Amino acid sequence: MEKGYVQVYTGDGKGKTTAALGRGFKVVMVQFLKGMYTGELESSKKFGDNFKIMRFAETKKFFWKMSEEEKVELRDRVQHEITYIFHVLKSEACDILILDEIMGAMHGGLVTEDQVCQMIDTKPEGMELVLTGRNVPDKIFKKADLVTEMKPLKHYMNKGVPAREGIER
């Protein structure tokens, strides 16, 4: 890729992770706060060896249901794991680096806004960097080249329909 940009997919709507996927490129996706089996894991198998998923802050519990002790433990683990992201950036190990739910990890105090800005600043010229998650901070918004907000106008979830196999999970 000659020129890579910084993309942000944010908002309360569905499709942030799906929008982040590349086609025909070497992709590394780092997922934060996803411990359950999700559709991306199944879909990524179809991409073959060019698509690698790593999970950081992997947990089966929702963050807001964790004790303070569990949150501290998770933050310490993420701070250790985050060195992998800087390795990928510096070694140019992929064409597209997706940091899925990085905003949630940041809002939960697992990653700092300054660390995410440093990742953006470290991004090689030819690598695309995609960040997903709700409530993008202004500092990251300004650094990004593209910001798309997904907004649900109507969702069957509001009628009590749970996440469906093969669609939402």
Side-chain angles (χ1 to χ4, degrees):
M1 188 177 314
E2 190 174 313
K3 169 82 174 140
Y5 293 95
V6 176
Q7 300 179 26
V8 175
Y9 295 101
T10 189
D12 293 329
K14 177 181 166 180
K16 292 179 287 293
T17 301
T18 304
L21 303 179
R23 186 183 72 172
F25 291 101
K26 186 170 184 183
V27 177
V28 172
M29 175 186 274
V30 176
Q31 293 188 313
F32 291 87
L33 299 167
K34 290 190 176 180
M36 297 169 270
Y37 191 82
T38 59
E40 304 91 71
L41 294 177
E42 192 63 37
S43 297
S44 69
K45 292 176 186 175
K46 296 184 181 1
F47 289 104
D49 294 337
N50 275 347
F51 199 100
K52 180 178 182 180
I53 294 183
M54 305 289 296
R55 285 190 154 185
F56 291 2
E58 194 170 358
T59 179
K60 301 247 186 265
K61 248 182 173 177
F62 286 113
F63 190 75
W64 60 87
K65 291 188 174 186
M66 291 181 170
S67 69
E68 283 307 309
E69 184 179 303
E70 290 171 316
K71 289 177 182 178
V72 167
E73 205 174 287
L74 196 60
R75 183 179 61 241
D76 290 346
R77 198 168 78 221
V78 168
Q79 287 301 309
H80 176 72
E81 294 170 331
I82 213 159
T83 58
Y84 174 78
I85 293 171
F86 286 102
H87 168 74
V88 169
L89 288 164
K90 290 176 182 168
S91 68
E92 301 184 40
C94 61
D95 302 307
I96 302 172
L97 175 60
I98 302 167
L99 303 179
D100 187 32
E101 291 301 338
I102 187 82
M103 303 305 165
M106 191 175 23
H107 296 307
L110 304 177
V111 178
T112 68
E113 188 174 326
D114 286 340
Q115 285 175 312
V116 177
C117 287
Q118 186 182 2
M119 291 171 197
I120 293 170
D121 294 340
T122 304
K123 180 193 84 60
E125 180 70 18
M127 183 186 290
E128 198 85 1
L129 178 61
V130 183
L131 314 173
T132 73
R134 292 174 169 84
N135 304 316
V136 59
D138 194 49
K139 198 171 175 182
I140 293 170
F141 183 95
K142 288 177 181 169
K143 285 184 168 289
D145 299 296
L146 176 149
V147 178
T148 298
E149 181 179 13
M150 274 90 163
K151 184 171 99 175
L153 301 177
K154 184 177 182 179
H155 200 304
Y156 41 77
M157 177 185 69
N158 296 330
K159 293 181 181 179
V161 177
R164 299 172 301 144
E165 187 73 33
I167 304 297
E168 287 85 24
R169 59 180 175 94

